[in-house]
């Protein structure tokens, strides 16, 4: 890479404020990174790319882009019950004065946000690549998984409770607000409510400790990136079972409670980017885990009849027209 790019890495990514991990042999600065993993564990890998205008609106702040790029990767590890350790970063940056008004200021804000989240999780940026082109950020993450562990999508059993780690739909509402869409629905929202939704979109919380808690308890788990209906569909397909969801149980964030109920349900069911975990587990384990994690919410049951049914409080089935889910009965 050209000299100026090397200076970028030196200045913004060889951060002395990085945590020091005993299982890192060689970090940024040589041809490869080298790690010395604990022998008693397996390693879990995940990679995600965020492209400007596709995965985040063009006007998203560099701090939010960095945070989200790392958080979505952390979320994949959380969904397996893994403990994050190291990550690499491939950064594609537009040339100066095109998409980025000030490259230096952009990189400063981006790297500060990245390292701040990395420190929170005690993980190291160990290498990467830097190129020119339309703005895109790829992070690959790696973490530890117990040899016999790992929360798969395929283990859901008939009779299991279906639960999520927190409220749903806020990120999709944040996206509407960022793109000024569906305005007529949001008249009741206060400024605080709007900021809450935008924050949910830009700063998703990876449920790492929750994923670790679910290790050896949940029968199946994944993180909600594409929307509950679509993602729960992956569990149902992989496990060869069906599900019933109780609409009145769908957890909506308190700040968004003024919204029309059916509209909010639709956001909770089909909106992406929430990054809560969705998992299934035996009824007796639900009562134990919900004492430890009172924020977890049971939303339905795994059943033998294939497909997914949405039930209203009176037991009537509710049909929604916007899709994302292609496994209906
Ligand atoms: P090479 O040409 O051998 O691929 P590079 O010149 O691309 O090496 O990178 C030099 C060093 O800087 C390597 O250790 C690489 O991992 C690291 N690096 C490059 N870009 C980034 C980045 N965006 N973030 C972190 N480390 C990076
Ligand atoms: Mg390179």
């Amino acid at each position: 890479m050209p000299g100026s790019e090397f200076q970028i890495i030196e200045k913004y990514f060889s951060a002395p404020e990085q945590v020091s991990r005993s299982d890192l042999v060689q970090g940024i600065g040589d041809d490869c990174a080298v790690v010395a993993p604990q022998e008693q564990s397996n390693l879990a890998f995940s990679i995600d790319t965020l492209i400007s205008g596709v995965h985040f609106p063009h006007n998203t702040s560099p701090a939010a882009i960095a945070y989200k790029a790392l958080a979505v990767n952390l979320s994949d590890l959380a969904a397996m019950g893994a403990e994050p350790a190291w990550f690499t970063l491939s950064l594609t940056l537009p040339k100066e004065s095109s998409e980025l008004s000030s490259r230096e200021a952009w990189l400063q804000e981006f790297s500060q946000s990245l390292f701040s989240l990395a420190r929170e999780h005690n993980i190291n940026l160990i290498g990467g690549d830097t190129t020119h082109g339309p703005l895109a950020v790829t992070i690959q993450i790696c973490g530890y998984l117990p040899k016999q562990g790992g929360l798969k999508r395929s283990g859901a059993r008939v009779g299991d409770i279906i639960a999520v780690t927190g409220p749903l739909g806020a990120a999709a509402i944040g996206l509407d607000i960022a793109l000024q869409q569906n305005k007529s629905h949001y008249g009741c929202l206060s400024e605080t409510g709007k900021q809450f939704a935008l924050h949910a979109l830009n700063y998703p919380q990876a449920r790492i400790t929750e994923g670790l808690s679910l290790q050896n308890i949940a029968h199946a788990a994944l993180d909600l990136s594409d929307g509950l209906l679509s993602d729960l569909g992956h569990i149902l397909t992989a496990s060869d079972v069906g599900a019933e969801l109780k609409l009145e149980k769908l957890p909506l964030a308190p700040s968004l409670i003024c919204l029309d109920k059916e509209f909010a349900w639709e956001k909770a069911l089909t909106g992406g980017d929430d990054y809560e975990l969705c998992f299934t587990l035996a009824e007796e384990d639900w009562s134990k885990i919900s004492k430890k994690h009172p924020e977890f919410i049971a939303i339905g049951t795994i059943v033998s009849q294939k497909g997914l049914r949405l039930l209203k409080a009176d037991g009537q089935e509710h049909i929604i027209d916007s899709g994302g889910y292609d496994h209906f009965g």
Side-chain angles (χ1 to χ4, degrees):
M1 77 187 154
S4 65
E5 298 299 301
F6 199 77
Q7 282 155 11
I8 286 181
I9 310 305
E10 267 297 295
K11 190 162 172 193
Y12 297 107
F13 295 109
S14 312
E17 70 257 36
Q18 287 224 65
V19 294
S20 64
R21 292 184 60 100
S22 58
D23 53 11
L24 177 60
V25 179
Q26 168 69 56
I28 294 171
D30 215 311
D31 297 310
C32 287
V34 181
V35 295
Q38 306 155 7
E39 274 172 29
Q40 69 277 21
S41 299
N42 286 344
L43 294 178
F45 290 83
S46 184
I47 186 166
D48 268 298
T49 296
L50 301 189
I51 298 171
S52 183
V54 179
H55 301 99
F56 55 84
H58 287 299
N59 62 357
T60 307
S61 75
I65 296 169
Y67 192 100
K68 190 161 184 173
L70 185 52
V72 301
N73 276 279
L74 286 163
S75 179
D76 278 325
L77 289 186
M80 294 295 284
E83 185 194 326
W86 323 277
F87 67 106
T88 55
L89 165 70
S90 174
L91 199 54
T92 307
L93 294 172
K95 292 232 192 283
E96 189 84 65
S97 81
S98 54
E99 204 174 324
L100 305 180
S101 51
S102 159
R103 173 188 287 252
E104 296 268 323
W106 193 95
L107 283 163
Q108 178 72 26
E109 192 184 320
F110 180 92
S111 69
Q112 265 179 11
S113 169
L114 188 75
F115 286 126
S116 156
L117 182 58
R119 271 196 306 277
E120 258 177 57
H121 289 276
N122 191 35
I123 58 177
N124 258 145
L125 174 63
I126 60 173
D129 197 24
T130 308
T131 51
H132 288 297
L135 180 60
V137 181
T138 300
I139 286 181
Q140 181 175 49
I141 200 162
C142 181
Y144 286 110
L145 207 53
K147 283 257 190 256
Q148 308 306 328
L151 301 169
K152 303 233 173 70
R153 298 176 173 191
S154 54
R157 300 177 202 164
V158 173
D160 275 1
I161 303 275
I162 304 166
V164 290
T165 51
L168 303 178
I173 291 167
L175 185 61
D176 273 353
I177 291 167
L179 299 178
Q180 308 201 352
Q181 291 172 164
N182 288 327
K183 274 184 170 173
S184 60
H185 285 281
Y186 299 118
C188 74
L189 276 189
S190 65
E191 197 47 41
T192 318
K194 287 182 186 163
Q195 289 308 321
F196 172 87
L198 281 170
H199 197 265
L201 173 70
N202 288 325
Y203 294 91
Q205 299 302 301
R207 301 302 185 192
I208 296 287
T209 50
E210 292 81 351
L212 292 171
S213 294
L214 291 169
Q215 192 70 262
N216 300 320
I217 295 175
H219 292 157
L222 47 53
D223 64 325
L224 296 174
S225 53
D226 298 334
L228 179 65
L229 291 187
S230 163
D231 289 327
L232 178 57
H234 298 316
I235 288 185
L236 302 184
T237 304
S239 305
D240 202 23
V241 290
E244 285 178 1
L245 291 186
K246 297 194 184 81
L247 286 171
E248 299 286 345
K249 301 275 184 199
L250 283 181
L252 306 169
S255 329
L256 305 174
I257 221 78
C258 73
L259 298 179
D260 169 73
K261 204 175 180 182
E262 299 224 341
F263 179 75
W265 282 346
E266 193 181 310
K267 287 291 170 192
L269 291 165
T270 63
D273 274 5
D274 280 319
Y275 296 101
E276 297 295 345
L277 303 182
C278 174
F279 55 95
T280 85
L281 76 185
E283 207 166 349
E284 59 268 25
D285 289 325
W286 168 248
S287 48
K288 283 182 227 154
I289 196 93
S290 57
K291 282 198 189 84
K292 186 172 167 198
H293 287 282
E295 75 281 15
F296 288 1
I297 305 129
I299 56 172
T301 319
I302 295 290
V303 296
S304 56
Q305 189 189 344
K306 300 287 162 54
L308 199 156
R309 277 167 305 287
L310 305 172
L311 303 179
K312 294 193 203 177
D314 59 7
Q316 291 282 319
E317 201 164 324
H318 175 81
I319 310 294
I320 60 163
D321 47 14
S322 60
Y325 185 73
D326 53 7
H327 307 281
F328 275 102

mmCIF file of all heavy atoms in Angstrom, residues 141-184:
data_model
loop_
_atom_site.group_PDB
_atom_site.id
_atom_site.type_symbol
_atom_site.label_atom_id
_atom_site.label_comp_id
_atom_site.label_asym_id
_atom_site.label_seq_id
_atom_site.Cartn_x
_atom_site.Cartn_y
_atom_site.Cartn_z
ATOM 1 N N ILE A 141 -14.212 -11.211 12.765
ATOM 2 C CA ILE A 141 -13.991 -11.372 14.200
ATOM 3 C C ILE A 141 -13.755 -12.842 14.512
ATOM 4 O O ILE A 141 -14.212 -13.726 13.783
ATOM 5 C CB ILE A 141 -15.203 -10.803 14.982
ATOM 6 C CG1 ILE A 141 -14.824 -10.500 16.435
ATOM 7 C CG2 ILE A 141 -16.399 -11.726 14.911
ATOM 8 C CD1 ILE A 141 -15.797 -9.562 17.114
ATOM 9 N N CYS A 142 -13.035 -13.079 15.599
ATOM 10 C CA CYS A 142 -12.784 -14.448 16.030
ATOM 11 C C CYS A 142 -12.899 -14.519 17.546
ATOM 12 O O CYS A 142 -12.484 -13.584 18.245
ATOM 13 C CB CYS A 142 -11.382 -14.854 15.582
ATOM 14 S SG CYS A 142 -10.959 -16.536 16.045
ATOM 15 N N GLY A 143 -13.504 -15.588 18.041
ATOM 16 C CA GLY A 143 -13.667 -15.734 19.485
ATOM 17 C C GLY A 143 -13.618 -17.182 19.923
ATOM 18 O O GLY A 143 -13.550 -18.094 19.094
ATOM 19 N N TYR A 144 -13.642 -17.357 21.214
ATOM 20 C CA TYR A 144 -13.533 -18.691 21.811
ATOM 21 C C TYR A 144 -14.900 -19.318 22.056
ATOM 22 O O TYR A 144 -15.843 -18.647 22.480
ATOM 23 C CB TYR A 144 -12.833 -18.587 23.166
ATOM 24 C CG TYR A 144 -11.352 -18.329 23.070
ATOM 25 C CD1 TYR A 144 -10.819 -17.093 23.442
ATOM 26 C CD2 TYR A 144 -10.490 -19.329 22.629
ATOM 27 C CE1 TYR A 144 -9.447 -16.861 23.368
ATOM 28 C CE2 TYR A 144 -9.126 -19.104 22.554
ATOM 29 C CZ TYR A 144 -8.604 -17.873 22.924
ATOM 30 O OH TYR A 144 -7.271 -17.647 22.853
ATOM 31 N N LEU A 145 -14.946 -20.605 21.822
ATOM 32 C CA LEU A 145 -16.157 -21.388 22.066
ATOM 33 C C LEU A 145 -15.741 -22.655 22.805
ATOM 34 O O LEU A 145 -14.740 -23.275 22.423
ATOM 35 C CB LEU A 145 -16.739 -21.760 20.699
ATOM 36 C CG LEU A 145 -18.210 -22.010 20.532
ATOM 37 C CD1 LEU A 145 -19.046 -20.871 21.060
ATOM 38 C CD2 LEU A 145 -18.499 -22.233 19.053
ATOM 39 N N PRO A 146 -16.460 -23.047 23.862
ATOM 40 C CA PRO A 146 -16.112 -24.308 24.526
ATOM 41 C C PRO A 146 -16.150 -25.456 23.514
ATOM 42 O O PRO A 146 -16.967 -25.428 22.590
ATOM 43 C CB PRO A 146 -17.221 -24.492 25.571
ATOM 44 C CG PRO A 146 -17.832 -23.148 25.734
ATOM 45 C CD PRO A 146 -17.618 -22.402 24.450
ATOM 46 N N LYS A 147 -15.260 -26.445 23.692
ATOM 47 C CA LYS A 147 -15.142 -27.542 22.705
ATOM 48 C C LYS A 147 -16.485 -28.183 22.358
ATOM 49 O O LYS A 147 -16.758 -28.467 21.218
ATOM 50 C CB LYS A 147 -14.191 -28.622 23.225
ATOM 51 C CG LYS A 147 -12.728 -28.237 23.106
ATOM 52 C CD LYS A 147 -12.065 -28.941 21.934
ATOM 53 C CE LYS A 147 -10.557 -28.752 21.965
ATOM 54 N NZ LYS A 147 -10.056 -27.788 21.016
ATOM 55 N N GLN A 148 -17.305 -28.408 23.371
ATOM 56 C CA GLN A 148 -18.591 -29.076 23.098
ATOM 57 C C GLN A 148 -19.727 -28.066 22.932
ATOM 58 O O GLN A 148 -20.884 -28.447 22.808
ATOM 59 C CB GLN A 148 -18.970 -30.042 24.237
ATOM 60 C CG GLN A 148 -17.911 -31.042 24.618
ATOM 61 C CD GLN A 148 -17.418 -31.857 23.420
ATOM 62 O OE1 GLN A 148 -18.175 -32.134 22.487
ATOM 63 N NE2 GLN A 148 -16.137 -32.201 23.419
ATOM 64 N N GLY A 149 -19.405 -26.776 22.968
ATOM 65 C CA GLY A 149 -20.470 -25.767 23.040
ATOM 66 C C GLY A 149 -20.873 -25.220 21.689
ATOM 67 O O GLY A 149 -20.564 -25.770 20.644
ATOM 68 N N GLY A 150 -21.598 -24.114 21.734
ATOM 69 C CA GLY A 150 -22.029 -23.450 20.507
ATOM 70 C C GLY A 150 -23.527 -23.502 20.372
ATOM 71 O O GLY A 150 -24.109 -24.583 20.396
ATOM 72 N N LEU A 151 -24.155 -22.331 20.298
ATOM 73 C CA LEU A 151 -25.612 -22.248 20.167
ATOM 74 C C LEU A 151 -25.969 -22.312 18.691
ATOM 75 O O LEU A 151 -25.742 -21.357 17.964
ATOM 76 C CB LEU A 151 -26.110 -20.939 20.777
ATOM 77 C CG LEU A 151 -25.785 -20.721 22.256
ATOM 78 C CD1 LEU A 151 -26.099 -19.282 22.662
ATOM 79 C CD2 LEU A 151 -26.580 -21.699 23.105
ATOM 80 N N LYS A 152 -26.511 -23.432 18.269
ATOM 81 C CA LYS A 152 -26.820 -23.613 16.845
ATOM 82 C C LYS A 152 -28.256 -23.179 16.551
ATOM 83 O O LYS A 152 -29.054 -22.958 17.452
ATOM 84 C CB LYS A 152 -26.658 -25.091 16.494
ATOM 85 C CG LYS A 152 -25.271 -25.636 16.817
ATOM 86 C CD LYS A 152 -24.683 -26.313 15.583
ATOM 87 C CE LYS A 152 -23.259 -26.725 15.802
ATOM 88 N NZ LYS A 152 -23.133 -27.836 16.745
ATOM 89 N N ARG A 153 -28.579 -23.120 15.270
ATOM 90 C CA ARG A 153 -29.954 -22.803 14.866
ATOM 91 C C ARG A 153 -30.821 -24.066 14.825
ATOM 92 O O ARG A 153 -32.037 -23.963 14.747
ATOM 93 C CB ARG A 153 -29.935 -22.174 13.471
ATOM 94 C CG ARG A 153 -29.155 -20.873 13.446
ATOM 95 C CD ARG A 153 -29.070 -20.312 12.037
ATOM 96 N NE ARG A 153 -28.457 -18.986 12.080
ATOM 97 C CZ ARG A 153 -28.430 -18.143 11.067
ATOM 98 N NH1 ARG A 153 -28.984 -18.483 9.911
ATOM 99 N NH2 ARG A 153 -27.868 -16.958 11.182
ATOM 100 N N SER A 154 -30.185 -25.200 14.867
ATOM 101 C CA SER A 154 -30.885 -26.440 14.507
ATOM 102 C C SER A 154 -31.442 -27.239 15.678
ATOM 103 O O SER A 154 -31.971 -28.314 15.475
ATOM 104 C CB SER A 154 -29.922 -27.328 13.716
ATOM 105 O OG SER A 154 -28.733 -27.501 14.456
ATOM 106 N N GLY A 155 -31.350 -26.712 16.912
ATOM 107 C CA GLY A 155 -31.710 -27.568 18.041
ATOM 108 C C GLY A 155 -33.084 -27.348 18.662
ATOM 109 O O GLY A 155 -33.401 -27.934 19.703
ATOM 110 N N ALA A 156 -33.941 -26.502 18.052
ATOM 111 C CA ALA A 156 -35.251 -26.200 18.673
ATOM 112 C C ALA A 156 -36.115 -27.454 18.760
ATOM 113 O O ALA A 156 -36.155 -28.256 17.819
ATOM 114 C CB ALA A 156 -35.966 -25.125 17.873
ATOM 115 N N ARG A 157 -36.810 -27.639 19.915
ATOM 116 C CA ARG A 157 -37.634 -28.839 20.114
ATOM 117 C C ARG A 157 -39.083 -28.444 20.361
ATOM 118 O O ARG A 157 -39.351 -27.396 20.959
ATOM 119 C CB ARG A 157 -37.138 -29.614 21.341
ATOM 120 C CG ARG A 157 -35.698 -30.057 21.194
ATOM 121 C CD ARG A 157 -35.207 -30.752 22.454
ATOM 122 N NE ARG A 157 -33.751 -30.694 22.492
ATOM 123 C CZ ARG A 157 -33.005 -30.926 23.563
ATOM 124 N NH1 ARG A 157 -33.596 -31.229 24.719
ATOM 125 N NH2 ARG A 157 -31.697 -30.848 23.511
ATOM 126 N N VAL A 158 -40.003 -29.298 19.951
ATOM 127 C CA VAL A 158 -41.424 -29.051 20.169
ATOM 128 C C VAL A 158 -41.674 -28.865 21.670
ATOM 129 O O VAL A 158 -41.146 -29.628 22.483
ATOM 130 C CB VAL A 158 -42.276 -30.217 19.617
ATOM 131 C CG1 VAL A 158 -43.741 -30.064 19.986
ATOM 132 C CG2 VAL A 158 -42.102 -30.289 18.092
ATOM 133 N N GLY A 159 -42.410 -27.807 22.028
ATOM 134 C CA GLY A 159 -42.671 -27.501 23.433
ATOM 135 C C GLY A 159 -41.739 -26.429 23.991
ATOM 136 O O GLY A 159 -42.009 -25.856 25.046
ATOM 137 N N ASP A 160 -40.637 -26.130 23.266
ATOM 138 C CA ASP A 160 -39.712 -25.080 23.725
ATOM 139 C C ASP A 160 -40.417 -23.726 23.793
ATOM 140 O O ASP A 160 -41.282 -23.418 22.958
ATOM 141 C CB ASP A 160 -38.543 -24.900 22.729
ATOM 142 C CG ASP A 160 -37.401 -25.874 22.976
ATOM 143 O OD1 ASP A 160 -37.523 -26.699 23.902
ATOM 144 O OD2 ASP A 160 -36.399 -25.792 22.231
ATOM 145 N N ILE A 161 -39.975 -22.911 24.764
ATOM 146 C CA ILE A 161 -40.350 -21.494 24.791
ATOM 147 C C ILE A 161 -39.467 -20.755 23.786
ATOM 148 O O ILE A 161 -38.276 -21.062 23.680
ATOM 149 C CB ILE A 161 -40.069 -20.905 26.203
ATOM 150 C CG1 ILE A 161 -40.815 -21.682 27.282
ATOM 151 C CG2 ILE A 161 -40.300 -19.412 26.258
ATOM 152 C CD1 ILE A 161 -42.216 -21.237 27.500
ATOM 153 N N ILE A 162 -40.051 -19.810 23.070
ATOM 154 C CA ILE A 162 -39.266 -18.919 22.196
ATOM 155 C C ILE A 162 -39.141 -17.586 22.922
ATOM 156 O O ILE A 162 -40.143 -17.042 23.394
ATOM 157 C CB ILE A 162 -39.969 -18.684 20.841
ATOM 158 C CG1 ILE A 162 -40.244 -20.018 20.140
ATOM 159 C CG2 ILE A 162 -39.142 -17.765 19.952
ATOM 160 C CD1 ILE A 162 -41.218 -19.896 18.965
ATOM 161 N N ALA A 163 -37.927 -17.079 23.047
ATOM 162 C CA ALA A 163 -37.729 -15.821 23.778
ATOM 163 C C ALA A 163 -36.718 -14.937 23.062
ATOM 164 O O ALA A 163 -35.980 -15.396 22.181
ATOM 165 C CB ALA A 163 -37.256 -16.124 25.196
ATOM 166 N N VAL A 164 -36.724 -13.664 23.441
ATOM 167 C CA VAL A 164 -35.742 -12.704 22.907
ATOM 168 C C VAL A 164 -35.102 -11.958 24.075
ATOM 169 O O VAL A 164 -35.661 -11.905 25.175
ATOM 170 C CB VAL A 164 -36.391 -11.698 21.919
ATOM 171 C CG1 VAL A 164 -36.792 -12.387 20.630
ATOM 172 C CG2 VAL A 164 -37.593 -11.000 22.542
ATOM 173 N N THR A 165 -33.909 -11.389 23.813
ATOM 174 C CA THR A 165 -33.158 -10.742 24.899
ATOM 175 C C THR A 165 -33.580 -9.296 25.159
ATOM 176 O O THR A 165 -33.110 -8.691 26.126
ATOM 177 C CB THR A 165 -31.644 -10.773 24.595
ATOM 178 O OG1 THR A 165 -31.446 -10.248 23.270
ATOM 179 C CG2 THR A 165 -31.081 -12.180 24.670
ATOM 180 N N GLY A 166 -34.452 -8.724 24.302
ATOM 181 C CA GLY A 166 -34.848 -7.338 24.538
ATOM 182 C C GLY A 166 -35.863 -6.856 23.520
ATOM 183 O O GLY A 166 -36.274 -7.625 22.639
ATOM 184 N N PRO A 167 -36.257 -5.587 23.616
ATOM 185 C CA PRO A 167 -37.290 -5.015 22.742
ATOM 186 C C PRO A 167 -36.915 -5.068 21.264
ATOM 187 O O PRO A 167 -35.738 -5.076 20.912
ATOM 188 C CB PRO A 167 -37.378 -3.562 23.202
ATOM 189 C CG PRO A 167 -36.777 -3.526 24.551
ATOM 190 C CD PRO A 167 -35.772 -4.620 24.604
ATOM 191 N N LEU A 168 -37.916 -5.084 20.412
ATOM 192 C CA LEU A 168 -37.708 -5.219 18.958
ATOM 193 C C LEU A 168 -38.335 -4.043 18.204
ATOM 194 O O LEU A 168 -39.282 -3.428 18.674
ATOM 195 C CB LEU A 168 -38.357 -6.515 18.453
ATOM 196 C CG LEU A 168 -37.900 -7.814 19.116
ATOM 197 C CD1 LEU A 168 -38.662 -9.002 18.533
ATOM 198 C CD2 LEU A 168 -36.401 -8.007 18.952
ATOM 199 N N GLY A 169 -37.806 -3.778 17.031
ATOM 200 C CA GLY A 169 -38.436 -2.825 16.110
ATOM 201 C C GLY A 169 -37.850 -1.424 16.149
ATOM 202 O O GLY A 169 -38.076 -0.651 15.216
ATOM 203 N N ALA A 170 -37.084 -1.097 17.190
ATOM 204 C CA ALA A 170 -36.603 0.281 17.323
ATOM 205 C C ALA A 170 -35.647 0.664 16.196
ATOM 206 O O ALA A 170 -35.691 1.791 15.691
ATOM 207 C CB ALA A 170 -35.929 0.473 18.678
ATOM 208 N N ALA A 171 -34.791 -0.271 15.765
ATOM 209 C CA ALA A 171 -33.813 0.069 14.722
ATOM 210 C C ALA A 171 -34.515 0.371 13.401
ATOM 211 O O ALA A 171 -34.126 1.310 12.686
ATOM 212 C CB ALA A 171 -32.813 -1.069 14.543
ATOM 213 N N ALA A 172 -35.557 -0.409 13.079
ATOM 214 C CA ALA A 172 -36.290 -0.172 11.823
ATOM 215 C C ALA A 172 -36.997 1.174 11.872
ATOM 216 O O ALA A 172 -37.090 1.881 10.857
ATOM 217 C CB ALA A 172 -37.286 -1.290 11.584
ATOM 218 N N ILE A 173 -37.476 1.550 13.048
ATOM 219 C CA ILE A 173 -38.110 2.860 13.212
ATOM 220 C C ILE A 173 -37.044 3.947 13.077
ATOM 221 O O ILE A 173 -37.260 4.974 12.432
ATOM 222 C CB ILE A 173 -38.849 2.915 14.568
ATOM 223 C CG1 ILE A 173 -40.060 1.974 14.484
ATOM 224 C CG2 ILE A 173 -39.275 4.344 14.916
ATOM 225 C CD1 ILE A 173 -40.721 1.669 15.806
ATOM 226 N N GLY A 174 -35.864 3.691 13.629
ATOM 227 C CA GLY A 174 -34.733 4.617 13.480
ATOM 228 C C GLY A 174 -34.375 4.827 12.018
ATOM 229 O O GLY A 174 -34.083 5.947 11.597
ATOM 230 N N LEU A 175 -34.429 3.743 11.232
ATOM 231 C CA LEU A 175 -34.109 3.863 9.799
ATOM 232 C C LEU A 175 -35.157 4.724 9.090
ATOM 233 O O LEU A 175 -34.815 5.587 8.283
ATOM 234 C CB LEU A 175 -34.031 2.471 9.157
ATOM 235 C CG LEU A 175 -33.590 2.448 7.693
ATOM 236 C CD1 LEU A 175 -32.174 3.022 7.536
ATOM 237 C CD2 LEU A 175 -33.646 1.038 7.116
ATOM 238 N N ASP A 176 -36.431 4.505 9.413
ATOM 239 C CA ASP A 176 -37.491 5.357 8.859
ATOM 240 C C ASP A 176 -37.209 6.823 9.177
ATOM 241 O O ASP A 176 -37.351 7.694 8.319
ATOM 242 C CB ASP A 176 -38.855 4.998 9.479
ATOM 243 C CG ASP A 176 -39.543 3.866 8.714
ATOM 244 O OD1 ASP A 176 -39.044 3.471 7.652
ATOM 245 O OD2 ASP A 176 -40.595 3.391 9.208
ATOM 246 N N ILE A 177 -36.818 7.077 10.426
ATOM 247 C CA ILE A 177 -36.585 8.463 10.846
ATOM 248 C C ILE A 177 -35.375 9.034 10.110
ATOM 249 O O ILE A 177 -35.410 10.149 9.584
ATOM 250 C CB ILE A 177 -36.436 8.548 12.380
ATOM 251 C CG1 ILE A 177 -37.800 8.240 13.015
ATOM 252 C CG2 ILE A 177 -35.917 9.912 12.820
ATOM 253 C CD1 ILE A 177 -37.763 7.982 14.492
ATOM 254 N N ALA A 178 -34.297 8.234 10.004
ATOM 255 C CA ALA A 178 -33.086 8.694 9.304
ATOM 256 C C ALA A 178 -33.395 9.002 7.838
ATOM 257 O O ALA A 178 -32.867 9.959 7.277
ATOM 258 C CB ALA A 178 -31.982 7.655 9.407
ATOM 259 N N LEU A 179 -34.242 8.182 7.216
ATOM 260 C CA LEU A 179 -34.538 8.364 5.787
ATOM 261 C C LEU A 179 -35.810 9.182 5.562
ATOM 262 O O LEU A 179 -36.265 9.335 4.420
ATOM 263 C CB LEU A 179 -34.691 6.996 5.105
ATOM 264 C CG LEU A 179 -33.463 6.075 5.143
ATOM 265 C CD1 LEU A 179 -33.759 4.741 4.482
ATOM 266 C CD2 LEU A 179 -32.265 6.739 4.473
ATOM 267 N N GLN A 180 -36.401 9.665 6.662
ATOM 268 C CA GLN A 180 -37.644 10.450 6.610
ATOM 269 C C GLN A 180 -38.752 9.704 5.872
ATOM 270 O O GLN A 180 -39.443 10.263 5.011
ATOM 271 C CB GLN A 180 -37.366 11.809 5.976
ATOM 272 C CG GLN A 180 -36.210 12.508 6.657
ATOM 273 C CD GLN A 180 -36.218 14.012 6.437
ATOM 274 O OE1 GLN A 180 -36.986 14.551 5.675
ATOM 275 N NE2 GLN A 180 -35.359 14.684 7.158
ATOM 276 N N GLN A 181 -38.913 8.428 6.199
ATOM 277 C CA GLN A 181 -39.959 7.581 5.607
ATOM 278 C C GLN A 181 -41.107 7.400 6.593
ATOM 279 O O GLN A 181 -40.906 7.525 7.803
ATOM 280 C CB GLN A 181 -39.404 6.180 5.328
ATOM 281 C CG GLN A 181 -38.391 6.127 4.234
ATOM 282 C CD GLN A 181 -37.730 4.766 4.106
ATOM 283 O OE1 GLN A 181 -37.125 4.512 3.101
ATOM 284 N NE2 GLN A 181 -37.806 3.903 5.117
ATOM 285 N N ASN A 182 -42.270 6.993 6.083
ATOM 286 C CA ASN A 182 -43.427 6.653 6.925
ATOM 287 C C ASN A 182 -43.742 7.726 7.965
ATOM 288 O O ASN A 182 -44.178 7.418 9.071
ATOM 289 C CB ASN A 182 -43.192 5.326 7.663
ATOM 290 C CG ASN A 182 -43.268 4.140 6.726
ATOM 291 O OD1 ASN A 182 -44.031 4.160 5.761
ATOM 292 N ND2 ASN A 182 -42.471 3.124 6.998
ATOM 293 N N LYS A 183 -43.495 8.983 7.591
ATOM 294 C CA LYS A 183 -43.603 10.086 8.560
ATOM 295 C C LYS A 183 -44.943 10.112 9.286
ATOM 296 O O LYS A 183 -45.012 10.434 10.462
ATOM 297 C CB LYS A 183 -43.390 11.428 7.854
ATOM 298 C CG LYS A 183 -41.948 11.840 7.735
ATOM 299 C CD LYS A 183 -41.894 13.214 7.104
ATOM 300 C CE LYS A 183 -40.500 13.790 7.165
ATOM 301 N NZ LYS A 183 -40.432 15.040 6.410
ATOM 302 N N SER A 184 -46.027 9.770 8.549
ATOM 303 C CA SER A 184 -47.369 9.897 9.127
ATOM 304 C C SER A 184 -47.523 9.045 10.385
ATOM 305 O O SER A 184 -48.372 9.320 11.230
ATOM 306 C CB SER A 184 -48.417 9.501 8.097
ATOM 307 O OG SER A 184 -48.194 8.158 7.719
#
